[in-house]
Amino acid sequence: MTSSDRSQAVGVTKTYTVRTYGCQMNVHDSERLSGLLEDAGYVRAPEDAPEGEADVVVFNTCAVRENADNKLYGNLGRLAPMKTKRPGMQIAVGGCLAQKDRDTIVKKAPWVDVVFGTHNIGKLPVLLERARVQEEAQVEIAESLEAFPSTLPTRRESAYAAWVSISVGCNNTCTFCIVPALRGKEKDRRPGDILAEVEALVAEGVSEITLLGQNVNAYGSDMGDREAFSKLLRACGTIEGLERVRFTSPHPRDFTDDVIAAMAETPNVMPQLHMPLQSGSDTVLKAMRRSYRQERFLGIIEKVRAAMPDAAITTDIIVGFPGETEEDFEQTMHVVREARFAQAFTFQYSKRPGTPAAEMEGQIPKEVVQARYERLVALQEEISWEENKKQVGRTLEVMVAEGEGRKDDATRRLSGRAPDNRLVHFSKPEEPVRPGDVVTVEITYAAPHHLLAEGPVKAVRRTRSGDAWEKRNAAKAAKPAGVMLGIPAIGAPVPAPAPAAPGCGCD
C-alpha cells in the first residue's frame, strides 16, 4: 500500500514543508523533494501557519554558507519540543551539510527521523516510511549519484519560469569550496533529455528557462564535446514558444568563443552573464586554485561586450582570502572598475571546515576584511548606479514576475525582469496583467539595484505563461482542503528562479 493509499484509507491528508538553504541547485532539488512527497500522497502545507505544525519538515541544507551548521541545529532545536507534543511528526535533513556530517546530525539532534545526501534525494519518501515503521532514525548517504535529479517528480514553484539541470557535480578543486566533495564529479545529462524537458515545460506554459549546473559551461566534458554547451544554447533557440533562456553559473576557464557567438546569435538567449571573478589578483587566484588570471577574465568581458553591447554582466567576489595583501585587493578593485559589473555579489571570506583554505597561513583579521569589503561595496554601488542610469529613456520588454517587488502593494506598482535581468518596477496598467505576461515600458529612473518606469505602460502582451499562472491559481482556489494534520510556515523555495544570484555552491 502506498503512502497515498494509506492517507486515503484513514481519510487524513498529511502535510509537508521544505526549508531550503544555499544555491540554485538546492532550490531546484527542493522542487524535486516537493514533487516526491506529493507523488507519495502528501500535501504541501500553507505558508501562513505556525512553525512546526507540518507532519513532515524537510531541511535541504548547505555546507558552504557561513554558520550553516549552527543555523541548522538552531532550527532543529526549536522543533524538538513541537515534535515531542506531536509524536507523528517527522523531520528530515538532506543536502550538502547532510552529505558532509552524516551521523553527526542524529547524534546532535536525536529527534531527527531521516538524514539523506545529495546523491539519493529520490529515497526520501521510502526513508520516511521506514523510519515510521521501525521507529528509529534512518541515515542513508549514497557516495555517487543514483539517478539524475531531473528524472524525479517535480513540484515547480513557478508557472512561467523554470530551472533545468544540465549537469551535476564539479571537476574543479577551488581551495575555498567543498562542493565537489559533496556533489561529486561532474556528470552531464544527455542533450536530448534536456531539450525534451524544455519542450515539455514550454508545452505547460513556461516561457523562461535557466540552464543550471555547478559549472554550467563545462557541459560536455564527460561526453568529449567541448562545444556541447554552445550547441545546447543554439538548440534552445529553435524551440517555439521559449522566449527567454538564461544559464548559471559559468566558469571563466571554460568560457569559449563559441559560447559567446551562440549567445549573441540566438535571439532567445538573454543578454545577461553571471561570471564569478572571486578575486582580481593573479596571486590570490592561484592560491584559490582558480585556473584563469586577470587578463583572461577581462578578455572574456571585452569579447562579450563586443558581441552584445547591452549585456548586463554580474559577478561574485570574495574579500579577505588568506594571504590577500592590500595590493592584491587593489587588483580586485581595478577589475571592478574595468569590468563595470551591473551587480556584484560580494562575500567576506570565512573558514569553511573541510576546505584547504581553512588551513592556510595568512588568515586576514576580521577588521581588515570588513574595511576592504566596505570599500568594494561602495565602489560597486557607484558603478551599478551609473550603469543603471544608462537605461533611463530606454523602452524595454519586462516579463511580469511574482514576489519580486516587496513594496508593490503600497506603491500600486508591479515588478518584473528586463531581458538583461535587471529588476524593473512599473506603474500598474489599467488592464489586468499576470505573472508571465510581458509589458512594454519606458525607464524613467534608476537606482543602484532596480529601475523604475513611472509613466503609463506602453503595451501589454498576454502570454501562454500568464494563462498557465492563472490556471494554476484557479486550481489552487478550487482544490478541496481535505483534513490536514497541520499547517506550517517553515518556508519554501522561491516562487521563481532567483535572478542573477550566485549559482554555485562555492560562491
Side-chain angles (χ1 to χ4, degrees):
M1 183 181 290
T2 66
S3 299
S4 180
D5 292 333
R6 279 189 298 274
S7 293
Q8 292 173 9
V10 298
V12 173
T13 301
K14 287 192 173 184
T15 59
Y16 77 91
T17 190
V18 179
R19 173 174 267 183
T20 309
Y21 303 91
C23 66
Q24 288 100 325
M25 192 67 75
N26 269 16
V27 173
H28 189 38
D29 282 350
S30 288
E31 291 184 328
R32 304 290 176 191
L33 294 170
S34 296
L36 284 161
L37 290 170
E38 295 191 5
D39 201 48
Y42 294 85
V43 172
R44 182 170 176 174
E47 300 177 22
D48 58 351
E51 182 179 65
E53 289 190 4
D55 298 295
V56 173
V57 179
V58 183
F59 292 93
N60 190 8
T61 64
C62 171
V64 176
R65 304 299 186 191
E66 189 171 6
N67 298 319
D69 51 349
N70 292 336
K71 291 175 183 176
L72 171 65
Y73 294 120
N75 286 320
L76 292 176
R78 286 202 303 275
L79 289 181
M82 303 177 193
K83 191 171 189 292
T84 301
K85 295 177 182 177
R86 300 178 58 236
M89 178 182 178
Q90 289 186 297
I91 300 173
V93 179
C96 288
L97 191 63
Q99 186 81 22
K100 181 172 78 76
D101 285 358
R102 306 179 183 224
D103 296 327
T104 304
I105 293 173
V106 174
K107 289 177 182 177
K108 289 187 175 182
W111 55 92
V112 168
D113 299 276
V114 171
V115 178
F116 62 101
T118 60
H119 299 311
N120 63 331
I121 64 175
K123 289 287 186 69
L124 176 59
V126 172
L127 294 173
L128 286 168
E129 182 61 15
R130 193 187 301 165
R132 187 189 68 80
V133 172
Q134 298 181 7
E135 297 184 344
E136 64 179 13
Q138 302 295 309
V139 180
E140 189 168 309
I141 306 291
E143 297 301 329
S144 59
L145 192 68
E146 293 185 349
F148 202 93
S150 290
T151 64
L152 302 174
T154 306
R155 185 195 190 281
R156 298 280 179 179
E157 294 302 321
S158 170
Y160 54 91
W163 305 109
V164 175
S165 289
I166 69 170
S167 64
V168 293
C170 182
N171 293 337
N172 294 317
T173 57
C174 302
T175 55
F176 54 81
C177 182
I178 199 171
V179 167
L182 304 179
R183 293 263 180 191
K185 292 292 185 181
E186 182 176 322
K187 183 175 179 59
D188 293 334
R189 191 176 172 202
R190 290 169 55 88
D193 293 340
I194 297 169
L195 294 171
E197 182 180 356
V198 174
E199 289 171 348
L201 287 167
V202 171
E204 294 171 5
V206 168
S207 58
E208 176 179 312
I209 60 123
T210 301
L211 302 175
L212 184 63
Q214 306 287 167
N215 182 10
V216 69
N217 60 320
Y219 177 73
S221 62
D222 77 350
M223 297 186 295
D225 185 355
R226 291 181 58 84
E227 295 189 353
F229 186 59
S230 62
K231 293 174 183 176
L232 182 63
L233 291 178
R234 292 183 185 277
C236 286
T238 67
I239 298 176
E240 187 176 354
L242 180 58
E243 296 193 18
R244 296 185 173 191
V245 178
R246 307 186 192 276
F247 57 89
T248 193
S249 280
H251 192 292
R253 181 193 69 181
D254 302 301
F255 207 87
T256 49
D257 291 349
D258 61 294
V259 172
I260 297 173
M263 291 177 67
E265 296 166 10
T266 309
N268 64 355
V269 176
M270 295 294 95
Q272 172 222 344
L273 175 64
H274 184 75
M275 180 73 80
L277 169 65
Q278 308 301 7
S279 174
S281 162
D282 288 354
T283 302
V284 173
L285 288 170
K286 183 177 180 181
M288 288 178 167
R289 214 177 288 159
R290 300 283 287 180
S291 47
Y292 57 89
R293 299 297 178 258
Q294 180 188 122
E295 183 178 3
R296 159 76 171 156
F297 186 92
L298 287 175
I300 293 170
I301 302 300
E302 184 178 357
K303 288 180 179 179
V304 169
R305 289 248 162 81
M308 295 171 285
D310 293 330
I313 302 174
T314 57
T315 196
D316 304 316
I317 300 173
I318 297 173
V319 178
F321 188 81
E324 180 188 78
T325 64
E326 180 63 24
E327 182 179 353
D328 292 326
F329 177 68
E330 283 297 339
Q331 287 299 306
T332 296
M333 297 283 274
H334 168 71
V335 175
V336 170
R337 292 186 186 98
E338 290 293 310
R340 300 196 64 80
F341 300 114
Q343 189 174 0
F345 297 88
T346 51
F347 305 88
Q348 297 185 42
Y349 173 79
S350 60
K351 291 184 179 181
R352 297 295 188 268
T355 62
E359 307 300 323
M360 286 182 176
E361 296 181 356
Q363 301 287 330
I364 311 298
K366 173 66 177 176
E367 60 272 16
V368 175
V369 178
Q370 180 68 34
R372 290 176 182 171
Y373 175 80
E374 291 174 1
R375 288 162 56 196
L376 175 61
V377 169
L379 173 62
Q380 182 56 52
E381 287 278 303
E382 179 184 332
I383 292 172
S384 294
W385 200 0
E386 290 173 354
E387 291 301 305
N388 276 0
K389 286 176 182 176
K390 296 177 182 178
Q391 304 299 308
V392 173
R394 292 190 65 192
T395 297
L396 302 176
E397 280 201 334
V398 175
M399 183 176 288
V400 183
E402 185 173 32
E404 290 274 25
R406 291 174 296 176
K407 299 179 181 179
D408 281 353
D409 288 341
T411 58
R412 289 192 51 78
R413 292 178 182 139
L414 296 176
S415 300
R417 294 281 167 178
D420 64 8
N421 214 34
R422 283 182 165 94
L423 177 62
V424 180
H425 304 302
F426 58 93
S427 301
K428 188 177 292 187
E430 293 295 328
E431 58 184 296
V433 292
R434 308 153 302 176
D437 288 340
V438 175
V439 298
T440 303
V441 299
E442 181 179 335
I443 304 303
T444 58
Y445 175 80
H449 302 291
H450 70 267
L451 303 174
L452 190 60
E454 298 167 294
V457 168
K458 293 178 176 293
V460 173
R461 177 163 59 87
R462 293 174 70 84
T463 66
R464 292 169 56 255
S465 288
D467 294 342
W469 181 89
E470 190 169 12
K471 181 179 179 181
R472 173 186 283 200
N473 281 268
K476 284 181 183 177
K479 190 174 182 180
V483 181
M484 296 190 180
L485 297 179
I487 43 177
I490 289 198
V494 292
C504 161
C506 64
D507 298 328

